[in-house]
Amino acid sequence: LATMPMLTSLHVTVQNAAWEPFARELEQCSQLKELTLRAKLFDARAVAAALPRLLHLQTLCLSSCYLDDEDMQALEASLQLLPLRELDLASNWLSEESGECLERLLDAQPHLQVLSVKDNMLGDEGVQAVARAVCRHTALRILDLCSGSGCIGIACAYAFPQAEIDLAELDFGALEVAKSNILRHRCHPQVRAYESDLFAGLPADAQ
C-alpha cells in the first residue's frame, strides 16, 4: 500500500495477526475515497489509529467484521473526523449499548447519506437512539424498495418530516395503490413513487 499513495478504492480481507502492519500501511493511502474491510477478528484500535489520515474517505464498509460494542466505542472518535457519505455496519454484533454511540456519530456526520445497521442486535433502546439522531439529520433520504402499497414509506414521512422518500414498485396495481395513498396522506412531494424493478427505474439522485 505504501507504494500506491494515490489509491482511491480498496477492498481487502485482513488476516488475524496482520492488523497493525496493515493499519500502518493504510495510513499512507491518504487519497482513499472508498474502503471495504473484511475480517473475523477485527482490531478496532489499529483501524481507529489509521482512519484520521484518510481525509477523503466517503464510503466505509465494515459489514460482517464481527464488530461488537467495544469495537464501536474504539472507532467512534475516528469515524467522526471523516467526511463520510456512506457507512455500512451491517451483520455485526452491535447491541443496544452501541445505540448512543451511533447517535453521536450521526450528529457529527451531517453529510452522511447512507447508514446500514441491519442484522445487528440493537434492541429497542438502540434503535430509538439511532432514530433520534435520524430525526435531526438534515441529509436524510429514504428508499423503500418493493414498496407495495407504500405504507412503510408513508409511515416514514410521518416519523421523519424532513426526509425525502422514494418508493420503488414494479407491479402496476400496487404502484397505483401507493400513489393513491400518497395523495390520501398528503405526502407529495415529500414522498415520490416510481415504477421500478429494484433500482433500474429510479432517477440517479434516488439510487
Side-chain angles (χ1 to χ4, degrees), residues 57-59 82-87 109 111-115:
L57 193 65
Q58 297 181 1
T59 300
L82 301 174
L84 291 176
R85 294 187 177 275
E86 182 173 352
L87 177 61
Q109 289 283 358
H111 301 295
L112 188 66
Q113 296 176 342
V114 178
L115 172 65

Side-chain angles (χ1 to χ4, degrees), residues 5 24 54 131 147:
R24 289 193 294 269
L54 309 182
S147 62

Side-chain angles (χ1 to χ4, degrees), residues 14 16 18-27 37 39 41-54 62 65-79:
V14 182
N16 299 345
W19 277 107
E20 290 191 7
F22 169 76
R24 289 193 294 269
E25 294 285 320
L26 185 62
E27 291 180 3
L37 298 179
L41 289 176
F42 189 86
D43 190 334
R45 297 190 184 281
V47 175
L51 286 178
R53 302 291 185 92
L54 309 182
L62 301 176
C65 283
Y66 300 88
L67 296 179
D68 59 20
D69 298 324
E70 186 176 337
D71 293 327
M72 197 65 221
Q73 291 174 9
L75 290 168
E76 180 183 357
S78 294
L79 291 174

Side-chain angles (χ1 to χ4, degrees), residues 152-172:
I152 293 177
I154 291 169
C156 287
Y158 283 97
F160 311 117
Q162 85 289 4
E164 297 180 41
I165 301 167
D166 300 298
L167 311 181
E169 175 56 57
L170 184 60
D171 182 81
F172 177 79

Side-chain angles (χ1 to χ4, degrees), residues 69-162:
D69 298 324
E70 186 176 337
D71 293 327
M72 197 65 221
Q73 291 174 9
L75 290 168
E76 180 183 357
S78 294
L79 291 174
Q80 290 182 6
L81 298 174
L82 301 174
L84 291 176
R85 294 187 177 275
E86 182 173 352
L87 177 61
D88 187 352
L89 298 171
S91 303
N92 283 300
W93 292 345
L94 304 181
S95 75
E96 62 184 22
E97 293 182 20
S98 290
E100 291 186 2
C101 178
L102 291 168
E103 181 179 10
R104 292 190 296 270
L105 178 59
L106 278 167
D107 285 339
Q109 289 283 358
H111 301 295
L112 188 66
Q113 296 176 342
V114 178
L115 172 65
S116 177
V117 290
K118 67 180 182 179
D119 298 327
N120 280 281
M121 301 171 286
L122 292 176
D124 290 344
E125 291 186 11
V127 170
Q128 289 171 11
V130 173
R132 286 194 299 268
V134 168
C135 287
R136 298 190 293 267
H137 208 279
T138 58
L140 180 64
R141 186 155 194 171
I142 297 171
L143 173 61
D144 183 7
L145 284 174
C146 305
S147 62
S149 65
C151 58
I152 293 177
I154 291 169
C156 287
Y158 283 97
F160 311 117
Q162 85 289 4

